[in-house]
Amino acid sequence: MKRAVYPGSFDPMTYGHLDIIRRAAETFDELTVSVLNNNAKNPLFSVEERVKILKEATKDLPNVNVDSFSGLLIDYAAEKNFHISVRGLRAITDFEYELQIAQTNSKLSKGKLDTIFLTARLEYAYLSSSSVKEIASFGGDISECVPDFVAKMIYQKYNQKFKGEPNEQQN
Ligand code: PNS
């Protein structure tokens, strides 16, 4: 059985993440999306909230489950017996950062944890959790970036009004 982990901050999950999740779920028999518990990043959403969002967004995907982890990815992967980590690539700038992480993980795990990259679909290539948060903090429209229920949660965090129309492209 082919299993993989898709680690990330997911603060919050965007349609870009969801697209990678869907495509990875078609490639692997079982995919675990795992939220990094790292308060140093000063996240907008708690780990519990991020896990809840991911669970709701992936509830129609039977071979996807959601978890969280702290510390090094290689230690978590060893504990859960994951040998493949999935990451999305949007642009060449992502590649440099991701290549370094992938090589570090490969070296630290003595080759036991490999990384597979999926390239972001063009319509999501511009998307990042940070830009979604910045747009939302000023009450801008994020309806094409995240599912409606996530947009509402983000606006609430910033005490902003939900301005975007419900997205036709709900996932
Ligand atoms: O969504 P992000 O913030 O780009 O995800 C980054 C993540 C979680 C994949 C990466 O920071 C990570 O795996 N952190 C755990 C700590 C670790 O294993 N570091 C060693 C690799 S540099």
Side-chain angles (χ1 to χ4, degrees):
M1 179 149 129
K2 281 195 228 153
R3 297 165 72 240
V5 59
Y6 177 21
S9 301
F10 304 107
D11 185 41
M13 180 213 75
T14 67
Y15 277 135
H17 295 128
L18 201 49
D19 179 52
I20 299 289
I21 293 171
R22 284 184 184 284
R23 287 159 55 207
E26 282 170 18
T27 308
F28 296 96
D29 298 312
E30 190 187 294
L31 179 74
T32 298
V33 184
S34 201
V35 176
L36 174 66
N37 189 351
N38 180 5
N39 284 328
K41 280 199 172 182
N42 195 16
L44 181 65
F45 289 100
S46 69
V47 173
E48 293 73 26
E49 288 171 318
R50 286 178 268 161
V51 165
K52 207 172 153 198
I53 288 171
L54 281 159
K55 279 189 174 164
E56 175 64 26
T58 59
K59 65 182 181 198
D60 62 324
L61 300 171
N63 64 334
V64 173
N65 51 70
V66 184
D67 192 17
S68 61
F69 74 104
S70 314
L72 290 179
L73 178 64
I74 56 152
D75 292 336
Y76 169 71
E79 184 195 322
K80 302 274 177 174
N81 207 21
F82 292 123
H83 299 288
I84 295 179
S85 165
V86 174
R87 295 282 291 166
L89 287 177
R90 291 164 301 186
I92 198 77
T93 41
D94 277 351
F95 181 75
E96 279 188 38
Y97 169 70
E98 295 294 339
L99 182 68
Q100 193 192 12
I101 294 185
Q103 288 171 338
T104 304
N105 284 335
S106 177
K107 180 85 183 162
L108 284 178
S109 70
K110 300 192 168 52
K112 286 196 179 114
L113 183 65
D114 228 328
T115 305
I116 284 186
F117 296 113
L118 287 177
T119 51
R121 271 166 53 187
L122 275 182
E123 67 223 77
Y124 302 126
Y126 72 98
L127 255 181
S128 76
S129 298
S130 327
S131 60
V132 170
K133 286 183 278 193
E134 186 165 358
I135 296 165
S137 71
F138 294 106
D141 187 356
I142 52 169
S143 61
E144 291 193 13
C145 306
V146 294
D148 191 23
F149 80 96
V150 181
K152 284 182 181 144
M153 290 171 75
I154 304 173
Y155 287 123
Q156 258 173 19
K157 290 271 181 194
Y158 290 114
N159 284 324
Q160 283 286 355
K161 272 201 166 160
F162 177 59
K163 289 184 185 169
E165 292 297 317
N167 200 325
E168 284 169 18
Q169 203 190 328
Q170 286 287 324
N171 277 301

